[in-house]
Amino acid sequence: MTRTVSVAALQTAYGPDMAANIAKTEALVREAAAKGAQIILPSELFQGEYFCVSQEERWFATAFPWRTHPCVLAMQKLAAELNVVIPTSIYEKEGPHYFNSLVMIDAGGELLGVYRKSHIPDGPGYQEKYYFRPGDTGFKVWDTQFARIGVGICWDQWYPEAARAMALLGAEILFYPTAIGSEPHDAELDTAAPWQRVMQGHAVANVIPVVASNRIGTESLISPQNGCGQTFYGHSFIANHRGDKVEEYGKGEEGVLVAEFDLDYLNTHRAAWGFFRDRRTDLYGALASPRPVA
């Protein structure tokens, strides 16, 4: 029997109220599930507005332990009800440490574990190193009920070694929750196209589908560099193993993107390309070493 999987990317705007953001995400997850999606990706840090535009102590109070984070508890209940997988991005607090994290919630609601963002940006409008410690989990993949998947968080998407590491660990699909948009230091700079292209490259180099979810809208939090809120450019998309965009939104559309993939075909096609047959373990070292998925 052929193994197929249906995946979804969510694209919407978020505001300052966590409960309202959770409710909006829940509605979109339900819409995606109604369209047949089995693995459904919300965007990065959907718990609130993207607060890393500046450095303010008050945002540390919005982090929670990953097992009891309000977004995790809400998505866990939804995953159990709808029997879908929901990779859930959160602001995590573990003891004195703070992380930009992803909790993998399997169909049925089981928490499979946490991935902590490895690459942390630090620049105008994206001052994440003030808030987040570099991740300590390494790159991870999870055996969900529908596919073995890997997830990178936002800035991770610019690094080909992150995608390759997850592919070497056996990922069949890569997911990237994101919050990216305007660059306060340069109003003329629009990175939407290269943002897509780098992930399309991951798809080609690893013969693997890629799913990217970004937010939209101009938010109320003020960036000191330009005196106004950050505007997020959307352009969420799903690419196939050739890097072709099979589903895509523009900069202001809201909703769900859904696509289906034949995993058996992709596994055979990936083997035929030989990218992993000829890999150099002496060059990749620990990056390519299997590790527990929980």
Side-chain angles (χ1 to χ4, degrees):
M1 183 177 178
T2 301
R3 293 175 62 231
T4 62
V5 64
S6 182
V7 299
L10 310 185
Q11 179 166 294
T12 190
Y14 289 111
D17 184 85
M18 185 185 297
N21 293 333
I22 289 173
K24 177 180 275 193
T25 303
E26 178 179 334
L28 290 170
V29 169
R30 290 185 181 279
E31 180 182 343
K35 293 181 177 180
Q38 298 164 299
I39 306 175
I40 302 169
L41 182 69
S43 60
E44 181 188 21
L45 296 173
F46 67 85
Q47 67 183 65
E49 292 184 305
Y50 179 76
F51 53 85
C52 305
V53 296
S54 61
Q55 298 181 8
E56 298 183 59
E57 292 180 4
R58 62 186 173 120
W59 296 113
F60 290 108
T62 65
F64 298 85
W66 66 268
R67 292 177 181 83
T68 57
H69 193 290
C71 290
V72 171
L73 296 177
M75 294 302 111
Q76 182 180 26
K77 181 178 179 181
L78 195 58
E81 176 191 342
L82 300 176
N83 199 43
V84 296
V85 179
I86 310 175
T88 301
S89 171
I90 61 166
Y91 189 15
E92 180 197 359
K93 175 177 170 58
E94 184 192 51
H97 300 148
Y98 295 81
F99 298 96
N100 186 337
S101 299
L102 185 291
V103 179
M104 185 59 66
I105 306 176
D106 201 3
E110 182 183 358
L111 303 184
L112 298 183
V114 63
Y115 164 69
R116 293 167 177 153
K117 186 174 180 177
S118 298
H119 302 96
I120 311 296
D122 186 31
Y126 303 92
Q127 299 180 40
E128 294 195 11
K129 288 189 176 179
Y130 178 75
Y131 297 103
F132 310 132
R133 180 185 176 94
D136 58 3
T137 60
F139 302 115
K140 301 184 73 170
V141 298
W142 288 273
D143 285 311
T144 74
Q145 289 191 31
F146 304 117
R148 186 171 173 88
I149 66 175
V151 182
I153 302 173
C154 199
W155 194 242
D156 288 333
Q157 68 214 351
W158 297 96
Y159 294 82
E161 59 270 30
R164 178 53 57 92
M166 290 185 284
L168 287 170
L169 290 168
E172 296 175 300
I173 307 174
L174 298 180
F175 293 80
Y176 292 98
T178 300
I180 190 170
S182 56
E183 304 290 343
H185 68 289
D186 185 351
E188 302 301 316
L189 180 59
D190 185 345
T191 62
W195 173 78
Q196 287 190 337
R197 285 196 295 266
V198 72
M199 287 181 281
Q200 290 172 266
H202 301 335
V204 176
N206 296 287
V207 194
I208 195 169
V210 170
V211 182
S213 293
N214 193 19
R215 62 174 69 194
I216 57 174
T218 300
E219 298 186 352
S220 66
L221 298 176
I222 302 302
S223 169
Q225 282 82 15
N226 65 355
C228 63
Q230 199 83 318
T231 299
F232 295 89
Y233 53 56
H235 287 286
S236 302
F237 71 99
I238 301 173
N240 65 15
H241 64 289
R242 292 166 41 88
D244 303 319
K245 291 181 287 185
V246 296
E247 297 290 342
E248 179 184 12
Y249 274 137
K251 64 180 181 180
E253 297 166 280
E254 182 176 59
V256 304
L257 301 172
V258 178
E260 184 176 85
F261 296 104
D262 182 333
L263 296 176
D264 288 336
Y265 165 77
L266 290 172
N267 285 335
T268 300
H269 196 59
R270 190 177 305 113
W273 271 90
F275 291 153
F276 306 105
R277 177 196 65 217
D278 296 330
R279 70 180 177 88
R280 292 279 302 279
T281 55
D282 58 320
L283 295 180
Y284 284 109
L287 188 67
S289 300
R291 66 184 70 197
V293 299

